[in-house]
Coordinates of all heavy atoms in Angstrom, one line a residue:
M253 N -120.2 -6.5 15.3 CA -121.5 -5.8 15.3 C -121.4 -4.3 15.0 O -120.5 -3.7 15.6 CB -122.2 -6.0 16.6 CG -123.6 -6.6 16.5 SD -124.4 -6.9 18.1 CE -123.3 -7.9 19.0
K254 N -122.2 -3.8 14.1 CA -122.0 -2.4 13.8 C -123.5 -1.8 13.7 O -124.4 -2.4 13.5 CB -121.3 -2.1 12.5 CG -122.0 -2.7 11.2 CD -121.2 -2.4 10.0 CE -122.1 -2.9 8.9 NZ -121.5 -2.5 7.5
P255 N -123.6 -0.5 14.0 CA -124.9 0.1 14.1 C -125.5 0.2 12.7 O -124.8 0.3 11.6 CB -124.7 1.6 14.5 CG -123.1 1.6 14.9 CD -122.4 0.5 14.4
A256 N -126.9 0.0 12.7 CA -127.5 -0.1 11.3 C -128.0 1.4 11.0 O -128.6 1.6 10.0 CB -128.8 -0.9 11.4
G257 N -127.6 2.4 11.8 CA -128.0 3.8 11.5 C -129.5 4.0 11.7 O -130.0 5.0 11.2
V258 N -130.0 3.3 12.6 CA -131.5 3.5 12.9 C -131.8 3.5 14.3 O -131.2 2.7 15.1 CB -132.3 2.2 12.3 CG1 -133.8 2.5 12.4 CG2 -132.0 2.1 10.8
V259 N -132.6 4.4 14.8 CA -133.0 4.5 16.2 C -134.5 4.5 16.2 O -135.2 5.2 15.5 CB -132.5 5.8 16.9 CG1 -133.0 6.0 18.3 CG2 -131.0 5.8 16.9
R260 N -135.0 3.6 16.9 CA -136.5 3.4 17.1 C -136.9 3.5 18.4 O -136.2 3.0 19.3 CB -137.0 2.1 16.4 CG -136.9 2.1 14.8 CD -138.0 2.9 14.2 NE -137.7 3.5 12.9 CZ -138.1 2.9 11.7 NH1 -138.9 1.8 11.8 NH2 -137.7 3.5 10.6
K261 N -138.1 3.9 18.7 CA -138.7 3.9 20.1 C -139.5 2.7 20.3 O -140.3 2.3 19.3 CB -139.5 5.1 20.3 CG -138.6 6.4 20.5 CD -139.5 7.6 20.9 CE -138.5 8.8 21.1 NZ -139.2 10.0 21.4
V262 N -139.4 2.1 21.5 CA -140.3 0.9 21.9 C -141.6 1.5 22.2 O -141.7 2.5 22.9 CB -139.6 0.2 23.1 CG1 -140.5 -0.9 23.5 CG2 -138.2 -0.2 22.8
D263 N -142.6 0.9 21.6 CA -144.0 1.4 22.0 C -144.6 0.8 23.3 O -143.8 0.1 24.1 CB -145.0 1.1 20.9 CG -145.6 -0.3 20.7 OD1 -145.2 -1.2 21.7 OD2 -146.1 -0.6 19.8
Q264 N -145.7 1.2 23.8 CA -146.1 0.7 25.2 C -146.4 -0.8 25.2 O -146.4 -1.3 26.4 CB -147.4 1.4 25.5 CG -148.7 1.2 24.6 CD -149.9 2.0 24.9 OE1 -150.0 3.1 24.3 NE2 -150.5 1.7 25.9
L265 N -146.5 -1.6 24.2 CA -146.5 -3.0 24.1 C -145.1 -3.6 24.0 O -145.2 -4.9 23.9 CB -147.6 -3.4 23.1 CG -149.0 -3.0 23.3 CD1 -149.8 -3.6 22.1 CD2 -149.5 -3.6 24.6
G266 N -144.2 -2.9 24.0 CA -142.8 -3.4 23.7 C -142.4 -3.7 22.3 O -141.4 -4.3 22.0
R267 N -143.2 -3.1 21.3 CA -142.9 -3.5 20.0 C -141.9 -2.4 19.4 O -142.0 -1.2 19.8 CB -144.2 -3.4 19.2 CG -145.2 -4.6 19.6 CD -146.3 -4.5 18.8 NE -147.1 -3.3 19.2 CZ -148.4 -3.2 18.9 NH1 -149.2 -4.1 18.3 NH2 -149.1 -2.0 19.3
I268 N -141.2 -2.8 18.4 CA -140.3 -2.0 17.7 C -140.5 -2.4 16.2 O -140.7 -3.5 15.8 CB -138.8 -2.3 18.0 CG1 -138.5 -2.2 19.4 CG2 -137.9 -1.4 17.1 CD1 -137.2 -2.8 19.8
V269 N -140.6 -1.4 15.3 CA -140.8 -1.6 13.9 C -139.4 -1.7 13.3 O -138.7 -0.8 13.4 CB -141.6 -0.5 13.2 CG1 -141.7 -0.7 11.7 CG2 -143.1 -0.5 13.8
L270 N -139.2 -2.8 12.6 CA -137.9 -3.0 11.8 C -138.0 -2.2 10.5 O -139.1 -2.4 9.8 CB -137.6 -4.4 11.5 CG -137.4 -5.3 12.7 CD1 -137.3 -6.8 12.1 CD2 -136.1 -5.0 13.4
P271 N -137.2 -1.3 10.2 CA -137.3 -0.6 9.0 C -137.3 -1.5 7.7 O -136.7 -2.6 7.8 CB -136.0 0.2 9.0 CG -135.4 0.2 10.3 CD -135.9 -0.9 10.9
K272 N -138.1 -1.1 6.8 CA -138.3 -1.9 5.5 C -137.0 -2.2 4.9 O -136.8 -3.4 4.5 CB -139.2 -1.0 4.6 CG -139.7 -1.8 3.4 CD -140.7 -1.1 2.6 CE -141.2 -2.0 1.5 NZ -142.2 -1.3 0.7
S273 N -136.1 -1.4 4.9 CA -134.8 -1.5 4.2 C -134.0 -2.8 4.9 O -133.4 -3.5 4.2 CB -133.9 -0.4 4.3 OG -133.7 0.1 5.6
L274 N -134.2 -2.8 6.2 CA -133.5 -4.0 6.9 C -134.3 -5.3 6.6 O -133.7 -6.3 6.5 CB -133.4 -3.6 8.4 CG -132.4 -2.6 8.9 CD1 -132.4 -2.5 10.4 CD2 -131.0 -3.1 8.5
R275 N -135.6 -5.2 6.7 CA -136.5 -6.3 6.4 C -136.1 -6.9 5.0 O -136.1 -8.2 4.8 CB -137.9 -6.0 6.6 CG -138.4 -6.0 8.0 CD -139.8 -5.8 8.1 NE -140.0 -4.2 8.0 CZ -141.1 -3.6 7.4 NH1 -142.0 -4.5 6.9 NH2 -141.1 -2.4 7.4
K276 N -135.9 -6.0 4.1 CA -135.7 -6.4 2.7 C -134.3 -7.1 2.6 O -134.2 -8.1 2.1 CB -135.8 -5.2 1.8 CG -135.9 -5.5 0.3 CD -136.0 -4.3 -0.5 CE -135.9 -4.6 -2.0 NZ -136.1 -3.5 -2.8
R277 N -133.3 -6.4 3.2 CA -131.9 -6.9 3.2 C -131.8 -8.1 3.8 O -131.0 -9.1 3.4 CB -131.1 -5.7 4.0 CG -129.6 -6.2 4.0 CD -128.8 -4.9 4.5 NE -127.5 -5.4 4.8 CZ -126.6 -4.7 5.5 NH1 -127.0 -3.5 5.8 NH2 -125.4 -5.0 5.7
Y278 N -132.5 -8.4 5.0 CA -132.4 -9.7 5.6 C -133.5 -10.7 5.4 O -133.6 -11.7 6.1 CB -132.2 -9.5 7.1 CG -130.9 -8.8 7.5 CD1 -130.8 -7.4 7.7 CD2 -129.7 -9.5 7.5 CE1 -129.6 -6.8 7.8 CE2 -128.5 -8.9 7.8 CZ -128.5 -7.6 7.9 OH -127.2 -6.9 8.2
Q279 N -134.2 -10.3 4.3 CA -135.3 -11.2 3.8 C -136.4 -11.7 4.9 O -136.5 -12.9 5.2 CB -134.8 -12.5 3.1 CG -133.9 -12.0 1.9 CD -133.1 -13.2 1.4 OE1 -133.0 -14.3 1.9 NE2 -132.4 -13.0 0.2
M280 N -136.7 -10.7 5.7 CA -137.7 -10.9 6.8 C -139.0 -10.5 6.2 O -139.3 -9.3 6.0 CB -137.4 -10.1 8.1 CG -136.1 -10.7 8.8 SD -135.8 -9.6 10.2 CE -134.8 -10.7 11.1
N281 N -140.0 -11.5 6.1 CA -141.2 -11.2 5.6 C -142.3 -11.4 6.7 O -142.1 -12.0 7.7 CB -141.6 -12.2 4.4 CG -140.6 -11.9 3.3 OD1 -140.4 -10.8 2.8 ND2 -140.0 -13.0 2.9
E282 N -143.5 -10.8 6.5 CA -144.5 -10.8 7.4 C -144.8 -12.3 7.8 O -144.9 -13.1 6.8 CB -145.9 -10.2 6.8 CG -146.9 -10.1 7.8 CD -148.2 -9.5 7.2 OE1 -148.2 -8.8 6.2 OE2 -149.3 -9.7 7.7
G283 N -145.0 -12.7 9.1 CA -145.2 -13.9 9.5 C -144.0 -14.8 9.7 O -144.1 -15.9 10.2
D284 N -142.8 -14.4 9.3 CA -141.5 -15.2 9.5 C -141.3 -15.2 11.0 O -141.3 -14.3 11.6 CB -140.4 -14.6 8.7 CG -140.4 -14.7 7.2 OD1 -141.3 -15.5 6.8 OD2 -139.7 -14.1 6.5
P285 N -140.9 -16.4 11.4 CA -140.5 -16.5 12.7 C -139.1 -15.9 13.0 O -138.2 -16.1 12.2 CB -140.4 -18.1 13.1 CG -140.3 -18.7 11.7 CD -140.8 -17.7 10.8
V286 N -138.9 -15.2 14.2 CA -137.7 -14.4 14.4 C -137.3 -14.9 15.8 O -138.1 -14.9 16.8 CB -137.8 -12.9 14.3 CG1 -136.6 -12.2 14.8 CG2 -138.2 -12.5 12.9
E287 N -136.1 -15.3 16.0 CA -135.6 -15.8 17.3 C -134.8 -14.6 18.0 O -134.1 -13.7 17.3 CB -134.7 -16.9 17.2 CG -134.4 -17.5 18.6 CD -133.7 -18.9 18.4 OE1 -133.2 -19.2 17.4 OE2 -133.9 -19.6 19.4
I288 N -135.1 -14.4 19.3 CA -134.4 -13.3 20.0 C -133.3 -13.9 20.7 O -133.6 -14.8 21.7 CB -135.4 -12.6 21.0 CG1 -136.6 -11.9 20.1 CG2 -134.8 -11.5 21.8 CD1 -137.7 -11.5 20.9
L289 N -132.0 -13.4 20.5 CA -130.9 -14.0 21.3 C -130.4 -12.9 22.1 O -130.5 -11.7 21.8 CB -129.8 -14.5 20.3 CG -130.3 -15.4 19.1 CD1 -129.3 -15.4 18.1 CD2 -130.6 -16.7 19.7
V290 N -129.7 -13.2 23.2 CA -129.0 -12.1 24.0 C -127.6 -12.6 24.2 O -127.2 -13.7 24.2 CB -129.7 -12.1 25.5 CG1 -131.1 -11.4 25.3 CG2 -129.6 -13.4 26.2
Q291 N -126.7 -11.5 24.1 CA -125.3 -11.7 24.4 C -124.8 -10.5 25.1 O -124.8 -9.4 24.6 CB -124.6 -11.8 22.9 CG -123.2 -12.1 23.0 CD -122.6 -12.3 21.6 OE1 -122.7 -11.2 20.8 NE2 -122.1 -13.3 21.2
G292 N -124.5 -10.7 26.4 CA -124.1 -9.5 27.3 C -125.1 -8.5 27.3 O -126.3 -8.8 27.6
D293 N -124.8 -7.2 26.8 CA -125.8 -6.1 26.8 C -126.6 -6.1 25.6 O -127.3 -5.1 25.3 CB -125.1 -4.8 27.0 CG -124.5 -4.7 28.4 OD1 -124.9 -5.4 29.3 OD2 -123.6 -3.8 28.6
H294 N -126.4 -7.0 24.7 CA -127.0 -6.9 23.3 C -128.1 -7.9 23.2 O -128.2 -9.0 23.6 CB -125.9 -7.3 22.3 CG -124.8 -6.3 22.3 ND1 -124.7 -5.1 21.8 CD2 -123.6 -6.6 22.9 CE1 -123.7 -4.5 21.9 NE2 -122.9 -5.3 22.6
I295 N -129.2 -7.3 22.4 CA -130.3 -8.2 22.0 C -130.2 -8.4 20.6 O -130.0 -7.3 19.8 CB -131.6 -7.5 22.4 CG1 -131.7 -7.2 23.9 CG2 -132.9 -8.4 21.8 CD1 -133.0 -6.3 24.3
I296 N -130.2 -9.6 20.1 CA -129.9 -10.0 18.7 C -131.1 -10.6 18.2 O -131.7 -11.5 18.7 CB -128.7 -10.9 18.6 CG1 -127.5 -10.1 19.1 CG2 -128.4 -11.2 17.0 CD1 -126.3 -11.1 19.5
L297 N -131.6 -10.1 16.9 CA -132.7 -10.7 16.3 C -132.1 -11.6 15.1 O -131.2 -11.2 14.4 CB -133.6 -9.7 15.7 CG -134.3 -8.7 16.6 CD1 -135.0 -7.7 15.8 CD2 -135.1 -9.4 17.6
E298 N -132.7 -12.9 15.0 CA -132.2 -13.7 13.9 C -133.3 -14.5 13.3 O -134.2 -14.8 14.1 CB -131.3 -14.8 14.6 CG -130.0 -15.0 13.8 CD -129.1 -16.0 14.6 OE1 -129.5 -17.2 14.7 OE2 -128.0 -15.6 15.0
R299 N -133.3 -14.7 12.0 CA -134.2 -15.6 11.5 C -134.3 -16.8 12.1 O -133.3 -17.4 12.3 CB -134.0 -15.7 9.9 CG -135.2 -15.2 9.1 CD -134.9 -15.2 7.7 NE -133.7 -14.5 7.2 CZ -132.8 -14.8 6.4 NH1 -132.9 -16.0 5.7 NH2 -131.7 -14.0 6.1
Y300 N -135.5 -17.3 12.5 CA -135.5 -18.7 13.3 C -135.2 -19.8 12.4 O -135.6 -20.0 11.3 CB -136.9 -18.8 13.8 CG -137.0 -20.1 14.5 CD1 -136.5 -20.4 15.8 CD2 -137.8 -21.1 14.0 CE1 -136.5 -21.5 16.4 CE2 -137.8 -22.4 14.7 CZ -137.3 -22.6 15.8 OH -137.4 -23.7 16.5
R301 N -134.2 -20.6 13.0 CA -133.9 -21.9 12.4 C -134.0 -22.9 13.5 O -133.5 -22.7 14.6 CB -132.5 -21.8 11.8 CG -132.4 -21.0 10.5 CD -130.9 -20.7 10.1 NE -130.1 -21.9 10.2 CZ -128.9 -22.0 10.2 NH1 -128.1 -20.9 10.4 NH2 -128.1 -23.1 10.3
P302 N -134.7 -24.0 13.2 CA -134.8 -25.0 14.3 C -133.5 -25.6 14.7 O -132.7 -25.8 13.9 CB -135.8 -26.0 13.7 CG -135.8 -25.7 12.2 CD -135.2 -24.4 11.9
R303 N -133.4 -25.9 16.0 CA -132.3 -26.5 16.6 C -132.6 -27.9 17.0 O -133.7 -28.3 17.4 CB -131.9 -25.8 17.8 CG -131.5 -24.3 17.6 CD -131.3 -23.6 19.0 NE -131.1 -22.3 18.8 CZ -130.0 -21.6 18.7 NH1 -128.9 -22.3 18.7 NH2 -130.0 -20.2 18.5
C304 N -131.5 -28.7 17.1 CA -131.7 -30.1 17.5 C -132.0 -30.2 19.0 O -131.4 -29.5 19.7 CB -130.3 -30.9 17.3 SG -130.3 -32.5 17.9
V305 N -133.0 -31.0 19.4 CA -133.4 -31.0 20.7 C -132.4 -31.6 21.6 O -132.4 -31.4 22.8 CB -134.8 -31.8 20.9 CG1 -136.0 -31.1 20.4 CG2 -134.6 -33.3 20.4
F306 N -131.4 -32.4 21.1 CA -130.4 -33.0 22.0 C -129.2 -32.2 22.1 O -128.6 -32.0 23.2 CB -130.1 -34.4 21.4 CG -131.1 -35.4 21.4 CD1 -131.8 -36.0 20.4 CD2 -131.6 -35.8 22.8 CE1 -132.8 -36.9 20.5 CE2 -132.7 -36.7 22.8 CZ -133.2 -37.2 21.7
C307 N -128.7 -31.7 21.0 CA -127.4 -31.0 21.0 C -127.4 -29.6 20.7 O -126.4 -28.8 20.8 CB -126.4 -31.7 20.1 SG -126.6 -31.4 18.3
G308 N -128.5 -29.1 20.2 CA -128.7 -27.6 19.9 C -128.1 -27.3 18.6 O -128.2 -26.1 18.2
S309 N -127.6 -28.1 17.8 CA -127.1 -27.8 16.6 C -128.1 -27.3 15.6 O -129.3 -27.7 15.6 CB -126.4 -29.1 15.9 OG -126.0 -28.8 14.5
M310 N -127.7 -26.4 14.5 CA -128.7 -25.9 13.6 C -128.4 -26.5 12.3 O -129.0 -26.2 11.3 CB -128.6 -24.4 13.6 CG -129.1 -23.8 14.9 SD -128.6 -22.0 14.9 CE -130.3 -21.3 14.6
E311 N -127.4 -27.4 12.2 CA -126.9 -28.0 10.9 C -127.6 -29.3 10.7 O -127.8 -30.1 11.8 CB -125.4 -28.2 11.0 CG -124.6 -27.0 11.2 CD -124.8 -25.8 10.3 OE1 -124.9 -26.1 9.0 OE2 -124.9 -24.7 10.7
E312 N -128.0 -29.6 9.5 CA -128.6 -30.9 9.1 C -129.8 -31.3 10.0 O -129.9 -32.5 10.4 CB -127.5 -32.0 9.2 CG -126.3 -31.8 8.3 CD -125.3 -32.9 8.5 OE1 -125.4 -34.0 7.8 OE2 -124.3 -32.6 9.4
V313 N -130.6 -30.4 10.4 CA -131.7 -30.6 11.3 C -132.9 -31.0 10.4 O -133.3 -30.4 9.4 CB -132.1 -29.3 12.1 CG1 -133.4 -29.5 13.0 CG2 -130.9 -29.0 13.1
K314 N -133.5 -32.1 10.9 CA -134.8 -32.7 10.3 C -135.9 -32.7 11.3 O -135.6 -33.0 12.5 CB -134.5 -34.1 9.6 CG -133.6 -33.9 8.5 CD -133.4 -35.3 7.8 CE -132.4 -35.1 6.7 NZ -131.8 -36.4 6.2
E315 N -137.2 -32.6 10.9 CA -138.3 -32.7 11.8 C -138.7 -34.3 12.0 O -138.7 -35.0 11.0 CB -139.5 -31.9 11.2 CG -140.6 -31.8 12.2 CD -141.7 -30.9 11.7 OE1 -141.6 -30.3 10.6 OE2 -142.7 -30.9 12.4
F316 N -138.8 -34.7 13.2 CA -139.3 -36.0 13.4 C -140.3 -35.9 14.6 O -140.0 -35.4 15.8 CB -138.1 -36.9 13.9 CG -138.4 -38.3 14.2 CD1 -138.8 -39.2 13.3 CD2 -138.3 -38.7 15.6 CE1 -139.1 -40.5 13.6 CE2 -138.6 -40.0 15.8 CZ -138.9 -40.9 14.9
K317 N -141.5 -36.4 14.3 CA -142.5 -36.3 15.4 C -142.6 -35.1 16.1 O -142.5 -35.0 17.3 CB -142.4 -37.5 16.3 CG -142.5 -38.9 15.6 CD -142.6 -40.0 16.6 CE -142.8 -41.4 15.9 NZ -143.1 -42.5 16.7
D318 N -142.8 -33.9 15.4 CA -143.0 -32.6 16.0 C -141.7 -32.1 16.7 O -141.8 -31.1 17.4 CB -144.2 -32.4 16.7 CG -145.5 -32.6 15.9 OD1 -145.4 -32.2 14.7 OD2 -146.5 -33.1 16.4
R319 N -140.6 -32.8 16.5 CA -139.4 -32.3 17.2 C -138.3 -32.2 16.1 O -138.5 -32.8 15.0 CB -138.9 -33.3 18.2 CG -139.9 -33.6 19.4 CD -139.7 -32.6 20.4 NE -140.4 -32.8 21.6 CZ -141.6 -32.6 21.9 NH1 -142.4 -31.8 21.1 NH2 -142.1 -32.9 23.1
Y320 N -137.2 -31.5 16.5 CA -136.1 -31.3 15.5 C -134.9 -32.1 15.9 O -134.5 -32.0 17.1 CB -135.8 -29.9 15.2 CG -137.0 -29.1 14.5 CD1 -137.9 -28.5 15.2 CD2 -137.1 -29.4 13.1 CE1 -138.9 -27.8 14.6 CE2 -138.2 -28.8 12.4 CZ -139.1 -28.0 13.2 OH -140.2 -27.3 12.6
L321 N -134.3 -32.9 15.1 CA -133.1 -33.6 15.4 C -132.1 -33.5 14.3 O -132.5 -33.3 13.1 CB -133.4 -35.1 15.4 CG -134.2 -35.7 16.5 CD1 -134.9 -36.9 16.1 CD2 -133.4 -36.0 17.7
C322 N -130.8 -33.4 14.7 CA -129.7 -33.3 13.6 C -129.4 -34.8 13.2 O -129.5 -35.7 13.9 CB -128.6 -32.4 14.2 SG -127.5 -33.4 15.3
E323 N -128.8 -34.7 12.1 CA -128.4 -36.0 11.4 C -127.4 -36.8 12.3 O -127.7 -38.0 12.6 CB -127.7 -35.7 10.0 CG -127.5 -36.8 9.2 CD -128.7 -37.1 8.3 OE1 -129.4 -36.1 7.9 OE2 -129.0 -38.2 7.9
P324 N -126.4 -36.1 12.9 CA -125.5 -36.9 13.8 C -126.3 -37.6 15.0 O -126.0 -38.7 15.3 CB -124.4 -35.9 14.3 CG -124.4 -34.9 13.1 CD -125.8 -34.8 12.6
C325 N -127.1 -36.8 15.6 CA -127.9 -37.4 16.8 C -128.8 -38.5 16.3 O -129.0 -39.5 17.0 CB -128.7 -36.2 17.5 SG -127.6 -35.2 18.6
M326 N -129.4 -38.3 15.1 CA -130.3 -39.2 14.6 C -129.5 -40.7 14.4 O -130.0 -41.7 14.7 CB -130.9 -38.8 13.2 CG -132.3 -39.2 13.0 SD -133.0 -38.5 11.5 CE -133.8 -37.1 12.3
N327 N -128.3 -40.5 13.8 CA -127.4 -41.6 13.6 C -127.1 -42.3 14.9 O -127.1 -43.5 15.0 CB -126.1 -41.2 12.8 CG -126.4 -40.9 11.4 OD1 -127.5 -41.3 10.8 ND2 -125.6 -40.0 10.8
E328 N -126.7 -41.5 15.9 CA -126.4 -42.0 17.2 C -127.5 -42.7 17.8 O -127.3 -43.9 18.4 CB -126.0 -40.8 18.2 CG -124.7 -41.0 18.8 CD -124.4 -39.8 19.7 OE1 -124.0 -38.7 19.2 OE2 -124.6 -39.9 20.9
M329 N -128.7 -42.3 17.7 CA -129.9 -43.0 18.1 C -130.1 -44.3 17.5 O -130.4 -45.3 18.1 CB -131.2 -42.2 18.0 CG -131.3 -41.0 19.0 SD -132.7 -40.1 18.8 CE -134.0 -41.2 19.1
G330 N -129.8 -44.4 16.1 CA -129.9 -45.6 15.4 C -128.9 -46.6 15.8 O -129.3 -47.8 15.9
Q331 N -127.8 -46.1 16.2 CA -126.7 -47.1 16.8 C -127.1 -47.7 18.0 O -126.8 -48.8 18.3 CB -125.4 -46.3 16.8 CG -124.8 -46.1 15.4 CD -123.5 -45.1 15.5 OE1 -123.2 -44.7 16.6 NE2 -123.0 -44.7 14.4
L332 N -127.7 -46.8 18.9 CA -128.3 -47.5 20.2 C -129.2 -48.5 20.0 O -129.1 -49.5 20.8 CB -129.0 -46.3 21.0 CG -128.2 -45.2 21.6 CD1 -129.1 -44.1 22.3 CD2 -127.2 -45.7 22.7
H333 N -130.0 -48.4 19.0 CA -131.1 -49.5 18.8 C -130.4 -50.8 18.3 O -130.9 -51.8 18.6 CB -132.0 -48.9 17.6 CG -133.0 -49.8 17.3 ND1 -134.1 -50.1 18.1 CD2 -133.3 -50.6 16.2 CE1 -135.0 -50.9 17.5 NE2 -134.5 -51.3 16.5
N334 N -129.2 -50.7 17.6 CA -128.6 -51.8 17.2 C -127.6 -52.6 18.1 O -127.0 -53.5 17.8 CB -127.8 -51.5 15.8 CG -128.8 -51.1 14.8 OD1 -129.9 -51.6 14.7 ND2 -128.3 -50.3 13.8
R335 N -127.6 -52.0 19.3 CA -126.6 -52.6 20.4 C -127.2 -54.0 20.9 O -128.3 -54.1 21.0 CB -126.4 -51.7 21.5 CG -125.4 -50.7 21.2 CD -125.2 -49.9 22.5 NE -124.3 -48.7 22.1 CZ -124.1 -47.6 23.0 NH1 -124.6 -47.6 24.2 NH2 -123.3 -46.7 22.6
Ligands
ZN595 ZN1 -128.0 -33.1 17.5

């Protein structure tokens, strides 16, 4: 992790404006979901990507009945059905 060279003040509602240059660089557009992650003393912003409800994986995730499942978990469920 390295400093982006930007210092911003948090407003009274807890908001921080992300500089346009960073939004452009990380392709964050108005209305895009952003996930807030924490790691020790750090707060990390990441473009939101759905996670599998069972294993937390972000790879090969597909929507199924308003939930997200990864391909391996989906296959495992399929195998349970065939037992
Ligand atoms: Zn999974």
Side-chain angles (χ1 to χ4, degrees):
M253 234 180 302
K254 63 178 185 176
V258 180
V259 176
R260 289 284 158 103
K261 288 185 177 178
V262 178
D263 76 9
Q264 63 186 96
L265 295 176
R267 296 177 295 199
I268 303 164
V269 174
L270 295 174
K272 190 175 184 178
S273 59
L274 286 180
R275 283 181 277 146
K276 191 174 176 186
R277 180 172 166 190
Y278 291 98
Q279 298 167 356
M280 290 178 161
N281 299 306
E282 187 181 342
D284 285 351
V286 173
E287 189 166 25
I288 300 168
L289 310 167
V290 290
Q291 189 178 56
D293 291 343
H294 302 278
I295 299 169
I296 301 160
L297 302 177
E298 224 176 66
R299 241 177 297 142
Y300 175 71
R301 287 170 50 202
R303 294 171 193 270
C304 173
V305 290
F306 292 116
C307 71
S309 171
M310 293 165 108
E311 306 298 322
E312 304 176 83
V313 175
K314 292 179 180 168
E315 194 175 350
F316 178 71
K317 296 192 174 186
D318 293 330
R319 299 277 194 268
Y320 293 98
L321 289 154
C322 74
E323 195 88 29
C325 285
M326 217 177 267
N327 291 338
E328 238 179 276
M329 285 178 65
Q331 288 167 6
L332 286 174
H333 184 71
N334 294 329
R335 277 186 190 169

